[in-house]
Amino acid sequence: MDYSESIFWMLDQHGWQSTPSNLSTPGISPTTSLNIWKDDVRAHIPLRVIPELVLLVLIPFRISQLFRSRIKVLANYTGALKLVITVAIVSLQITALVLYSKHTIRQDEATIIQRVVSLVAALALCPLSFFEHGRTVKPSAILILYLIASILVDGVFILPPLFRGSTDVGLLAVVAANTSLKALLLIIESISKRNYLREPHNELSIEQTSGILSRAFLFWINSFIILGHRKILSHFDLPGLDDGLESKRLRWKMEAIWDETAKPEPENMEDGGGGALLWALLKFFRLNLMLTAIPRLMMVLFTYSQPILIHSTVNYVTNETVGSTEGQYLIVAALVIYLGMGVSFCVYYQSHNRIKVQTRGAIVGLVHAKCLTMRDGVYDGAAAVTHMSSDTDHLEKWAWLSQEIWAQLIEFFIGVAMLWSQLGWWCLTPVIVVVLLSQAARWSGRRISGAMADWQGAKQKRIALTTSTIDYLKQIKMMGVTDTVMERVQKSRMLDLDTGMSYRWIILFINLGVNGISILAPVLTLVAYAADSYLRGKSLDPATAFTSIATVTLVTTPANVILALFPQFATAYGCASRVQRYLLGPHREDKRGLLERIPRSSGPTANPGNSSIAVTYPAVMVKDLALRPVSGAGICLDGISLRLEQGSLSILYGPIGSGKTTLARAILGDITPDRGSICVSGKHMAYCAQRPWLINASIRAMVCGLADDKEIDEEWYRTVIWACGLDEDIEQLSGADLVAVGSRGATLSGGQRQRVALARAVYSRPEIIILDDVLSALDPKTEAHVAERLLGSDGLLRQMRATVILITHAAQHLPLADKILVLNNSKIEAQGTWDELQSSDHFDRIKLEKSSSVSVEDAKHVRSAPESDPMPIPQPSTSDLAGQGGGLSVYLYYFKSISLPVMVLFVSCNVLDGVALAITPSILRTWSEAGGAYTWFYMSMFALSSILSFAATVSVIWSTIIVIAPKAGKSLHHRLLTIIMRAPLSYYTTTDTGETLNRFTEDMTYVDHDLPFNLMNTFWKFSKLISQLTLLFISQGLMMIGAPFLFLVLYFLQKLYLHTSRQVRYLDIELRAQVLTNFLETLEGISHIRAFGWQAQSVEQNIRNLDVSQRAHYMMLSIQQWLTLVLDMLVAGLCVLVVSLAVVFRSTTTGGQIGIALLIIQTISGTLTRLLQAWTQLETSLGAVSRIKHLDETVLPEDKEGESFEPAAEWPHMGVIEFDNVVASYNATNTALKNVSLKILPGQRVGVCGRTGSGKSTLLLSMLRLVELDAGSITIDGQDLSTLPRETIRSRMVTIPQDAYVLDDTVRINMDPKGTASDEEMVAALEKVKLWDVLKSRALNDGDSAEPSALENGRNPLDARLHSAPLSHGQFQLFGLARALLRKTHSRILLLDEATSNVDGETDALMQGIIREEFSQHTIITIAHRLDTIRDADVIVVLDKGEIVEVGAPDDLLAKETGTREPDEGASGDGEENPTSKAWFRDMLNSTRHK
């Protein structure tokens, strides 16, 4: 619920309803108002003939339509039963006509015509019922409406003879039997045909196969409510969506309308607002809005019929001249009016529920479609996430807001007209008050859109920072900056809340004006009227007093609602503006041309290593190209021209930052060149980025892309898995290739992630495949195997004749290339074959050795691809949805976040409001009964009590908006952030990133908006109920007899409803998280999706996820409307009961009693209705708190008992590390380290190597306590790590992870999040790694960014946001080293996890030199695949399958004879001989050397 929506809950807080139940209507007598019920047969003949005539007009068209349709039902007896009943109705109509013709006294031409028309209509029922039953999927709306109208008309003519004691029993019996058969046919016709529908119609949604009565009274929801009460619901239990709510249709229709909508010019985009988008939505829903206008007008009609009914009822009781028959019509009229109010209200709001769901589907579809065409790097993902969540939630209500404006204006003018007839010129008093106080709302309304935009902007920044934090949680923990990052994220939350305070104060001021109108306008009007009457010698009587109050409400209530609509509309407009700016953002311009394509089987075959390659057909042609890495950055490549032949292997080689990836992205079409042209043989390519794009799915699903299981080529899949070296890894994984591997492949090693992405690219059988440094994360042996199987002379890609573009900074693969392009200094320094470049003078810098025969032979003699075997398909798992309810513990959890003093303040304000609410009408009653005495005293007291009531109302709103909402938002966010940041590593590997992010977006939205107001409304309505019950007991004590029964019914009703609503709310949140996860994965992999040409599959995936989410969202709205309808029916029953009692006990009932009874019962029932609604909405809103509480209880922090010893400040001062029989695992099925024993001496440099997945990173993670030890111990400087706090351990080491974490913040914060380093130190560190000039120049050239560049503002480039100066992957690793330089004095231990895997040889040498120079006194543990980086280490540790298979000095291991394993003197292993051991390190090193 939005803040401005709270206004609607505040309008009735004084018990002065918009319905003036005791209002007399001058000029309308009871006799005149009920003339329609007189027994005038001739007058009623036109009325009785209308249903039949309408039916006869429609039947020919309907039967013609049905005749052309197919039969949709199976054989059943229901159709025969309907036919029998329709034939019986025809027989009774004939009988009635015959009986009527025998009575000569009744014969007249009009009546005979009416009887004949009725007979013809009955005859027409037979074929219509037959065709409707067999050729439609739902009960016939025409039949149902006709039968209802006919039964009502017939009932009017059956009742009078019954009460007059007619002797015409035969005719009466025939008509009664005919009406009964119609009622029976109505019941049978209204029953769903779902059980005997043919395929595929039996798969339609329940609502789509429900009849008009079932939809009007929401009968189709009953079974779902009962189901939710009996069991724990899952998304499989949610009813399907009908065709009108399917996301696919909504998306295509909205995209078509949006494309046709006139849009603002680019220069006016910022000032264009959201008008274009809102206009498109208006065109989208124009027909729906026209249809929903009908029930809205019926609501107005029934609402303003109540005064006439009540006046007639009072007159019937007090006027003995009115006949007794009129009393029966009063009961029927009461039933029709209150039943009509409830049904029209339900139909109207349920129609808007459908529009809300359709709006969400349309907007989410537009945003997703835009992200597929958005220019890369222009818009961040956090903005798109905000558009899909909070912005869409506000836009859902736009159609309802638009329709309510004109409806409330109609009610306002009707109220003014009735007020004029009651008070004359005094009707201007409330109008003047409305005009004056509305200025405050108008002033606030002009500012609310800007305030909302600022708040949404602050939210977006918080979400961006939170997203980047969640993305790099593992790296943040490894580096020991968890507390610092937590503080930063919490500060962004506080900025979010502080920015929102402006919006909250505006809402408070709007509420002051709105509530001032509802409270002060009646007071001023009554005081002015009473003063005028007193000066003229008249006194105020009760009838005049309460009638005047009710009459003024007819004006103030619509006025208040209109004022409440404008801030909501302004909020929706602001959100529409934000979404529209996103939709109108710069789109990707693919200016690549197409070359001539030839079949792969034709043409000459490329011969690797041969300088004379006779390939005549180009795959890629580039001419005079100038490129920037991102918009606003400097040109990094200029004057680039090249030609790549089809079926060739081309390598882009060069140092980091030379533009290799930028050129590849230009070939993909993601970057638009400043100058030049690119032509390709095909725009659908395979792409494998340097950072693998993996979704939370199984290896099988990711490799096969977005294909369905039926489309998977099993043999080709197994061949690709073998070629990429994944077969061994899959055998070792628990669940093989059928189990999800976590967000971004969290459960896989870096090399495994890269090979899965590589396998996906190969599996797609591309014509062109771009591989961006995909081999850098692999161990040497695996790298050699994969390179040979894919890129060698007999490699898979060679056999496919695919054009391969390999980006690398590693020189060992250059001899495989048909063409090598050396990029440096913004240009191609050299290009040609390996033999050509070897002879060039400028190529001497590249030191290469040809590969030894060992690696090639090893690669060639691996086992052949396995035979294809059927593989089982995983079954979808059902989420555990237990524990989603509220309960006292959840209330206490929330109240604890508010704090006891604030809760006491809130309750006190509500008690004060309840007291003021009871005092004001009591003073008014005493004043009106005083007979003119003490008029000025009562007038003053009445005004003071109203002012007290106004102050109490303001205090309740203030305590909720200004105090509770921010305090709860701060506390719960901090608690949630603490839980996530303190969770163990296993939580991140098993939980979707989108699910975690959803907790910080959707859940926090509920905490900030819905929950505080639902809490306020529940307490507010409860205090109001207590006050009204007190007044009722004082004035009409006997009416309390029925209160227990009413409370009992309401209790069981909410008990039935609440259990289902909680679960549906929980499902809604959870399924929204899946949509968000899918969207985040799409944003992250947008380059891959566009390269593979998977846009259509991505759209289908988004539609499927959105449809499932929409089912929960629609059911949540529907069951809320179901509750409202049931409560309205309960109110209707109570009011009809009161009228019935007045009719039955007419002689003992006074007009005052019946008027007061209707007023009080209607007021209390309305309060009960709103109390129950507020309570149930509070319970469902508490689902967000319940999720946080459930997370708090189930996700235990990684810190364990006993890990509390704080070491000395200088620890570790030596750097002695000892592993003693360490056994570690990620879960119960996979043991990552097995009996590892190792001792590292102070100052030693230790290199750890092994195949990907061998346990290298796990060894490092176990030191950082990110992986639990099942056995053994790790000590540093004699201190057992199991006794120390984990964050302390991590913060006392200097760690450089493979992927440097990058927060969505400034360079300064990313360099030194703790803020301990000076600017000079940071600049020196960046200069040492040669990044300072890069960052400074990009900050200077950031002219296209949303904010002015740092240097233009005179600020330090360190204060520029890092995302505005993007770096390559290798440069980010340099950035990580610079960050480590700032912390070198904090520890004597340096941990490197593939810290140089993405840099070229020259940069690697630079980094190694810096490490040797700056960390010469440190104990260094280096995890490496590139063995040259650890060749000069003191000790080499080789791991395989979680065990140490070799340890010793590099030279000793190279000289070692096979069959022994001898540890180095400086490091101790297990020391025992292993006759089966081999020279692991020597073999691995040899596999990386080339001749």
Side-chain angles (χ1 to χ4, degrees):
M1 178 186 294
D2 189 74
Y3 285 104
S4 50
E5 290 184 16
S6 63
I7 301 169
F8 293 103
W9 292 88
M10 302 167 186
L11 296 179
D12 66 333
Q13 55 97 22
H14 287 275
W16 296 335
Q17 306 295 314
S18 60
T19 301
S21 301
N22 61 343
L23 175 66
S24 61
T25 308
I28 302 179
S29 67
T31 304
T32 303
S33 66
L34 296 174
N35 273 343
I36 193 173
W37 309 112
K38 295 300 182 180
D39 191 13
D40 186 351
V41 176
R42 294 181 62 86
H44 288 118
I45 287 177
L47 179 63
R48 296 193 62 183
V49 138
I50 288 177
E52 282 80 5
L53 290 178
V54 173
L55 178 68
L56 292 175
V57 170
L58 295 177
I59 276 181
F61 301 99
R62 181 59 177 166
I63 291 181
S64 175
Q65 180 184 17
L66 293 174
F67 185 77
R68 295 189 297 268
S69 302
R70 294 177 179 270
I71 296 178
K72 298 181 175 61
V73 298
L74 301 171
N76 59 91
Y77 295 102
T78 307
L81 180 59
K82 291 180 182 179
L83 185 61
V84 170
I85 295 175
T86 54
V87 171
I89 291 174
V90 172
S91 301
L92 290 175
Q93 287 287 5
I94 295 173
T95 304
L97 180 60
V98 172
L99 290 176
Y100 189 85
S101 63
K102 291 181 179 180
H103 295 273
T104 56
I105 191 173
R106 293 196 173 192
Q107 290 180 3
D108 62 83
E109 183 178 351
T111 305
I112 293 297
I113 293 174
Q114 179 264 317
R115 291 293 181 184
V116 172
V117 171
S118 297
L119 176 59
V120 174
L123 289 170
L125 278 180
C126 298
L128 179 62
S129 177
F130 175 78
F131 281 108
E132 288 279 3
H133 178 76
R135 299 172 187 262
T136 60
V137 297
K138 61 184 178 181
S140 170
I142 295 178
L143 276 175
I144 290 174
L145 292 176
Y146 164 73
L147 291 172
I148 291 174
S150 180
I151 290 170
L152 289 176
V153 172
D154 286 349
V156 170
F157 291 93
I158 294 174
L159 288 175
L162 287 176
F163 289 108
R164 288 198 299 266
S166 174
T167 58
D168 197 356
V169 179
L171 181 59
L172 187 60
V174 171
V175 176
N178 185 51
T179 304
S180 300
L181 284 178
K182 289 180 181 178
L184 179 60
L185 180 60
L186 174 63
I187 294 173
I188 297 176
E189 186 63 42
S190 300
I191 298 175
S192 174
K193 297 181 283 188
R194 189 176 186 82
N195 293 332
Y196 46 84
L197 285 175
R198 295 186 175 186
E199 294 183 352
H201 308 294
N202 56 354
E203 299 296 329
L204 295 173
S205 68
I206 297 177
E207 186 180 14
Q208 200 166 356
T209 57
S210 299
I212 188 171
L213 282 183
S214 181
R215 291 190 176 194
F217 289 91
L218 300 181
F219 292 145
W220 62 274
I221 297 179
N222 294 344
S223 58
F224 182 75
I225 295 287
I226 296 173
L227 180 66
H229 184 69
R230 291 177 176 174
K231 60 169 288 189
I232 299 297
L233 297 174
S234 71
H235 70 275
F236 298 105
D237 298 313
L238 295 169
L241 299 173
D242 63 40
D243 295 340
L245 300 179
E246 288 183 349
S247 302
K248 186 174 185 178
R249 297 189 180 188
L250 296 173
R251 180 181 182 131
W252 301 149
K253 181 180 178 181
M254 189 62 192
E255 285 184 8
I257 293 176
W258 176 246
D259 291 339
E260 297 172 357
T261 302
K263 304 173 183 66
E265 298 296 329
E267 59 271 14
N268 300 326
M269 192 179 299
E270 291 297 324
D271 302 326
L277 180 59
L278 293 180
W279 178 249
L281 287 173
L282 178 62
K283 291 194 292 184
F284 189 97
F285 294 113
R286 58 179 180 267
L287 179 60
N288 303 65
L289 292 176
M290 291 174 61
L291 294 176
T292 54
I294 298 174
R296 188 62 182 88
L297 291 173
M298 296 302 295
M299 287 173 59
V300 176
L301 174 65
F302 287 122
T303 297
Y304 286 92
S305 297
Q306 292 177 94
I308 300 175
L309 173 67
I310 295 177
H311 181 82
S312 300
T313 305
V314 173
N315 186 74
Y316 172 80
V317 172
T318 57
N319 190 350
E320 296 181 357
T321 61
V322 179
S324 59
T325 304
E326 188 170 337
Q328 316 306 321
Y329 293 133
L330 285 174
I331 298 175
V332 175
L335 177 63
V336 171
I337 288 174
Y338 287 103
L339 190 65
M341 286 179 61
V343 172
S344 59
F345 186 92
C346 176
V347 172
Y348 173 69
Y349 278 95
Q350 184 64 10
S351 299
H352 274 287
N353 286 340
R354 292 179 59 86
I355 292 177
K356 287 180 180 179
V357 174
Q358 290 171 330
T359 302
R360 181 171 180 250
I363 296 298
V364 170
L366 275 183
V367 173
H368 183 266
K370 181 61 180 180
C371 88
L372 294 176
T373 60
M374 177 70 73
R375 185 189 300 172
D376 201 23
V378 174
Y379 227 81
D380 58 40
V385 169
T386 305
H387 300 330
M388 292 188 70
S389 53
S390 58
D391 286 345
T392 302
D393 291 340
H394 289 295
L395 281 173
E396 279 185 0
K397 297 172 287 190
W398 176 83
W400 176 78
L401 294 171
S402 303
Q403 197 153 45
E404 278 299 300
I405 290 178
W406 64 260
Q408 294 297 332
L409 284 174
I410 292 176
E411 293 190 0
F412 175 80
F413 288 118
I414 293 176
V416 170
M418 298 186 71
L419 186 61
W420 173 271
S421 64
Q422 181 70 24
L423 299 179
W425 286 105
W426 288 113
C427 70
L428 296 179
T429 304
V431 174
I432 293 173
V433 173
V434 168
V435 172
L436 292 177
L437 291 181
S438 64
Q439 297 307 306
R442 181 182 178 186
W443 175 85
S444 302
R446 288 197 300 264
R447 289 159 176 77
I448 193 170
S449 181
M452 186 62 183
D454 293 340
W455 192 9
Q456 291 292 84
K459 283 184 178 181
Q460 181 176 317
K461 291 180 180 179
R462 172 179 64 84
I463 292 172
L465 180 58
T466 305
T467 303
S468 60
T469 301
I470 295 172
D471 288 344
Y472 294 101
L473 268 173
K474 179 181 176 181
Q475 289 82 357
I476 290 171
K477 282 181 173 288
M478 290 176 66
M479 297 184 64
V481 291
T482 303
D483 292 337
T484 304
V485 174
M486 276 181 59
E487 181 181 354
R488 191 73 187 175
V489 175
Q490 187 64 21
K491 282 184 179 179
S492 71
R493 171 61 170 169
M494 295 308 301
L495 179 62
D496 170 15
L497 295 173
D498 291 342
T499 306
M501 288 301 293
S502 299
Y503 179 80
R504 293 189 180 98
W505 277 110
I506 291 175
I507 291 297
L508 179 62
F509 287 133
I510 292 176
N511 277 281
L512 292 180
V514 170
N515 285 278
I517 291 173
S518 62
I519 297 173
L520 301 181
V523 173
L524 293 176
T525 302
L526 187 61
V527 168
Y529 176 79
D532 178 65
S533 299
Y534 180 78
L535 294 176
R536 288 185 297 164
K538 297 180 180 180
S539 61
L540 185 68
D541 59 86
T544 303
F546 286 99
T547 300
S548 300
I549 292 294
T551 307
V552 173
T553 307
L554 288 174
V555 177
T556 58
T557 298
N560 283 338
V561 173
I562 292 173
L563 293 178
L565 291 174
F566 281 106
Q568 291 193 74
F569 193 88
T571 300
Y573 185 81
C575 294
S577 301
R578 288 164 45 80
V579 175
Q580 179 173 307
R581 282 195 297 271
Y582 173 78
L583 296 176
L584 296 179
H587 62 276
R588 172 179 177 250
E589 297 181 49
D590 189 355
K591 296 184 178 180
R592 296 175 297 170
L594 286 176
L595 298 169
E596 179 184 0
R597 300 175 62 183
I598 61 170
R600 296 195 207 180
S601 58
S602 63
T605 304
N607 193 7
N610 190 347
S611 60
S612 59
I613 303 176
V615 178
T616 58
Y617 293 94
V620 178
M621 290 190 64
V622 175
K623 294 183 180 179
D624 193 26
L625 202 65
L627 294 173
R628 304 173 188 267
V630 293
S631 177
I635 292 179
C636 65
L637 291 175
D638 195 8
I640 301 297
S641 296
L642 58 89
R643 172 188 171 111
L644 306 180
E645 310 298 340
Q646 292 187 18
S648 66
L649 167 59
S650 303
I651 293 182
L652 301 181
Y653 180 82
I656 62 169
S658 59
K660 302 185 297 296
T661 300
T662 301
L663 179 57
R665 293 177 60 206
I667 295 174
L668 288 171
D670 283 342
I671 295 179
T672 303
D674 286 21
R675 187 184 69 250
S677 64
I678 301 175
C679 295
V680 293
S681 59
K683 293 190 176 183
H684 288 175
M685 309 176 182
Y687 177 50
C688 190
Q690 195 169 7
R691 183 181 180 185
W693 172 60
L694 301 180
I695 62 177
N696 189 9
S698 66
I699 292 177
R700 178 189 179 91
M702 286 186 286
V703 169
C704 299
L706 301 179
D708 295 330
D709 290 331
K710 297 179 181 178
E711 301 175 0
I712 294 176
D713 185 336
E714 200 67 43
E715 183 177 355
W716 176 240
Y717 168 73
R718 286 188 170 275
T719 301
V720 171
I721 290 295
W722 164 81
C724 295
L726 283 169
D727 43 355
E728 291 185 23
D729 300 272
I730 290 175
E731 290 175 0
Q732 296 174 16
L733 290 175
S734 139
D737 61 346
L738 302 178
V739 177
V741 296
S743 294
R744 299 183 179 88
T747 61
L748 303 177
S749 69
Q752 289 169 337
R753 290 196 295 268
Q754 194 63 270
R755 282 181 287 138
V756 170
L758 179 60
R760 176 182 58 210
V762 176
Y763 179 85
S764 65
R765 291 187 173 97
E767 291 186 14
I768 301 175
I769 179 170
I770 299 178
L771 307 177
D772 190 356
D773 202 15
V774 296
L775 303 177
S776 62
L778 308 184
D779 64 272
K781 189 171 183 179
T782 305
E783 180 181 2
H785 289 176
V786 171
E788 182 65 25
R789 292 171 182 174
L790 292 178
L791 306 176
S793 57
D794 296 324
L796 205 57
L797 293 176
R798 292 287 191 178
Q799 296 175 21
M800 294 165 51
R801 288 193 48 79
T803 303
V804 182
I805 302 174
L806 174 64
I807 300 171
T808 184
H809 47 68
Q812 63 265 29
H813 302 301
L814 296 183
L816 296 174
D818 300 319
K819 177 178 285 189
I820 302 169
L821 298 100
V822 182
L823 299 180
N824 199 13
N825 299 322
S826 302
K827 62 182 181 180
I828 299 178
E829 283 195 341
Q831 59 178 312
T833 65
W834 166 243
D835 293 336
E836 292 171 349
L837 292 182
Q838 269 190 314
S839 60
S840 61
D841 296 335
H842 63 273
F843 206 61
D844 294 338
R845 296 188 301 270
I846 303 179
K847 299 177 180 179
L848 297 174
E849 295 178 354
K850 272 197 172 181
S851 60
S852 65
S853 60
V854 177
S855 65
V856 177
E857 291 303 316
D858 286 345
K860 289 183 178 180
H861 288 86
V862 292
R863 67 183 188 275
S864 60
E867 295 296 327
S868 176
D869 295 322
M871 303 182 69
I873 306 300
Q875 298 298 321
S877 59
T878 303
S879 300
D880 181 14
L881 300 179
Q884 67 269 37
L888 181 61
S889 61
V890 180
Y891 281 95
L892 294 177
Y893 192 87
Y894 181 66
F895 293 158
K896 184 179 179 181
S897 69
I898 297 175
S899 78
L900 181 61
V902 174
M903 196 63 200
V904 171
L905 173 65
F906 174 71
V907 174
S908 301
C909 293
N910 277 277
V911 171
L912 178 62
D913 184 68
V915 172
L917 186 64
I919 290 176
T920 303
S922 301
I923 295 175
L924 179 60
R925 187 192 64 180
T926 306
W927 177 17
S928 63
E929 293 175 351
Y934 309 107
T935 297
W936 298 109
F937 171 77
Y938 284 120
M939 194 180 300
S940 302
M941 293 302 297
F942 182 65
L944 288 175
S945 66
S946 299
I947 293 174
L948 176 62
S949 179
F950 179 69
T953 300
V954 173
S955 66
V956 172
I957 304 171
W958 170 81
S959 63
T960 302
I961 297 178
I962 305 301
V963 181
I964 289 180
K967 189 171 183 63
K970 172 187 175 182
S971 178
L972 290 174
H973 181 273
H974 183 266
R975 186 60 195 153
L976 175 61
L977 182 63
T978 302
I979 296 169
I980 297 298
M981 298 296 286
R982 299 297 185 197
L985 184 62
S986 58
Y987 173 79
Y988 311 129
T989 60
T990 57
T991 306
D992 282 340
T993 301
E995 179 181 341
T996 303
L997 182 60
N998 191 61
R999 297 180 183 276
F1000 290 95
T1001 53
E1002 291 293 335
D1003 286 1
M1004 286 301 106
T1005 299
Y1006 287 125
V1007 169
D1008 290 345
H1009 295 270
D1010 295 49
L1011 189 51
F1013 282 105
N1014 290 330
L1015 179 70
M1016 177 188 70
N1017 292 325
T1018 301
F1019 277 83
W1020 206 351
K1021 295 302 178 285
F1022 181 75
S1023 64
K1024 177 180 177 180
L1025 178 63
I1026 297 300
S1027 301
Q1028 291 175 342
L1029 289 177
T1030 302
L1031 290 174
L1032 179 61
F1033 180 76
I1034 294 174
S1035 60
Q1036 296 289 337
L1038 293 178
M1039 296 300 299
M1040 291 295 294
I1041 296 176
F1045 172 75
L1046 180 63
F1047 277 110
L1048 189 65
V1049 171
L1050 292 174
Y1051 171 76
F1052 284 107
L1053 177 62
Q1054 67 83 27
K1055 188 175 181 64
L1056 177 68
Y1057 165 82
L1058 202 56
H1059 196 257
T1060 302
S1061 66
R1062 286 173 177 170
Q1063 297 184 78
V1064 175
R1065 170 69 78 176
Y1066 183 85
L1067 284 171
D1068 182 39
I1069 296 174
E1070 290 294 316
L1071 295 174
R1072 280 177 182 241
Q1074 293 185 14
V1075 176
L1076 185 59
T1077 298
N1078 171 253
F1079 187 68
L1080 289 173
E1081 291 172 345
T1082 301
L1083 287 174
E1084 187 175 333
I1086 188 61
S1087 296
H1088 298 77
I1089 293 173
R1090 291 196 288 226
F1092 283 100
W1094 286 346
Q1095 290 93 329
Q1097 293 93 322
S1098 177
V1099 168
E1100 289 298 324
Q1101 193 175 50
N1102 173 261
I1103 288 173
R1104 285 196 300 269
N1105 289 330
L1106 183 58
D1107 273 340
V1108 176
S1109 173
Q1110 292 279 65
R1111 286 160 57 189
H1113 185 52
Y1114 182 56
M1115 285 309 300
M1116 182 187 70
L1117 297 174
S1118 297
I1119 61 176
Q1120 289 175 353
Q1121 192 56 52
W1122 176 88
L1123 176 65
T1124 302
L1125 176 65
V1126 172
L1127 294 172
D1128 286 342
M1129 294 300 100
L1130 183 61
V1131 171
L1134 290 174
C1135 293
V1136 171
L1137 177 61
V1138 170
V1139 175
S1140 301
L1141 291 175
V1143 172
V1144 174
F1145 300 101
R1146 177 181 182 182
S1147 59
T1148 59
T1149 303
T1150 65
Q1153 288 177 330
I1154 185 61
I1156 292 174
L1158 288 174
L1159 276 174
I1160 295 178
I1161 289 176
Q1162 183 174 346
T1163 303
I1164 290 181
S1165 62
T1167 303
L1168 285 172
T1169 299
R1170 291 169 178 81
L1171 172 61
L1172 191 56
Q1173 288 175 337
W1175 183 20
T1176 52
Q1177 289 184 13
L1178 173 62
E1179 284 280 341
T1180 53
S1181 298
L1182 278 171
V1185 179
S1186 178
R1187 279 164 47 86
I1188 298 174
K1189 178 177 178 293
H1190 181 68
L1191 196 70
D1192 197 357
E1193 295 171 345
T1194 56
V1195 179
L1196 300 178
E1198 60 176 350
D1199 297 311
K1200 309 297 181 184
E1201 293 184 7
E1203 300 177 352
S1204 57
F1205 178 77
E1206 286 292 342
E1210 63 274 9
W1211 181 87
H1213 58 283
M1214 296 175 60
V1216 179
I1217 305 171
E1218 186 171 0
F1219 292 78
D1220 184 14
N1221 290 317
V1222 170
V1223 178
S1225 60
Y1226 291 95
N1227 51 57
T1229 58
N1230 281 339
T1231 301
L1233 294 178
K1234 304 173 184 178
N1235 300 317
V1236 172
S1237 293
L1238 180 69
K1239 185 174 182 179
I1240 302 172
L1241 301 181
Q1244 278 191 328
R1245 291 175 296 162
V1246 179
V1248 182
C1249 58
R1251 188 182 183 277
T1252 57
S1254 60
K1256 304 182 301 297
S1257 295
T1258 306
L1259 185 72
L1260 187 146
L1261 295 177
S1262 65
M1263 286 183 58
L1264 297 170
R1265 299 304 313 279
L1266 282 167
V1267 177
E1268 297 296 331
L1269 301 188
D1270 299 329
S1273 64
I1274 303 175
T1275 60
I1276 297 179
D1277 288 354
Q1279 184 66 55
D1280 190 345
L1281 297 187
S1282 64
T1283 64
L1284 306 181
R1286 305 191 182 205
E1287 189 65 14
T1288 299
I1289 296 172
R1290 298 160 191 164
S1291 64
R1292 299 294 181 90
M1293 301 184 195
V1294 180
T1295 305
I1296 306 179
Q1298 181 176 3
D1299 297 321
Y1301 81 83
V1302 182
L1303 299 179
D1304 193 320
D1305 216 314
T1306 63
V1307 175
R1308 181 190 306 280
I1309 295 300
N1310 278 280
M1311 275 287 292
D1312 181 30
K1314 294 185 177 181
T1316 57
S1318 65
D1319 285 7
E1320 291 76 14
E1321 292 173 326
M1322 285 187 276
V1323 172
L1326 290 171
E1327 286 179 338
K1328 187 173 287 291
V1329 299
K1330 304 186 183 306
L1331 280 183
W1332 176 244
D1333 290 338
V1334 175
L1335 292 173
K1336 186 167 60 173
S1337 64
R1338 292 189 178 178
L1340 177 64
N1341 292 326
D1342 188 18
D1344 293 343
S1345 61
E1347 300 176 357
S1349 67
L1351 295 180
E1352 288 175 352
N1353 285 338
R1355 294 186 286 113
N1356 194 322
L1358 294 173
D1359 295 321
R1361 301 189 75 84
L1362 188 56
H1363 74 80
S1364 66
L1367 303 175
S1368 68
H1369 291 276
Q1371 288 173 326
F1372 271 124
Q1373 289 194 323
L1374 285 172
F1375 189 84
L1377 177 58
R1379 188 158 43 194
L1381 291 175
L1382 298 178
R1383 300 190 64 244
K1384 66 180 181 180
T1385 60
H1386 292 70
S1387 176
R1388 292 294 301 276
I1389 298 176
L1390 174 64
L1391 305 179
L1392 304 172
D1393 185 11
E1394 293 285 356
T1396 63
S1397 61
N1398 293 324
V1399 298
D1400 59 272
E1402 183 179 347
T1403 306
D1404 183 32
L1406 170 67
M1407 296 180 70
Q1408 296 297 336
I1410 293 173
I1411 292 172
R1412 282 192 292 269
E1413 177 185 350
E1414 298 292 336
F1415 297 93
S1416 59
Q1417 303 300 316
H1418 288 65
T1419 300
I1420 302 175
I1421 299 178
T1422 303
I1423 307 295
H1425 283 143
R1426 294 163 59 177
L1427 300 186
D1428 289 340
T1429 63
I1430 59 174
R1431 176 64 181 83
D1432 61 347
D1434 299 319
V1435 178
I1436 297 295
V1437 178
V1438 182
L1439 288 171
D1440 185 62
K1441 297 181 180 179
E1443 297 182 281
I1444 294 181
V1445 294
E1446 198 169 54
V1447 58
D1451 292 337
D1452 293 341
L1453 296 180
L1454 291 175
K1456 169 184 156 183
E1457 296 181 3
T1458 303
T1460 62
R1461 175 168 51 182
E1462 298 176 358
D1464 183 77
E1465 294 179 0
S1468 60
D1470 52 22
E1472 59 181 346
E1473 281 191 8
N1474 185 356
T1476 62
S1477 65
K1478 61 180 181 179
W1480 293 81
F1481 181 66
R1482 185 177 63 198
D1483 292 347
M1484 294 173 64
L1485 188 62
N1486 287 338
S1487 68
T1488 65
R1489 291 180 174 175
H1490 293 67
K1491 294 179 184 178

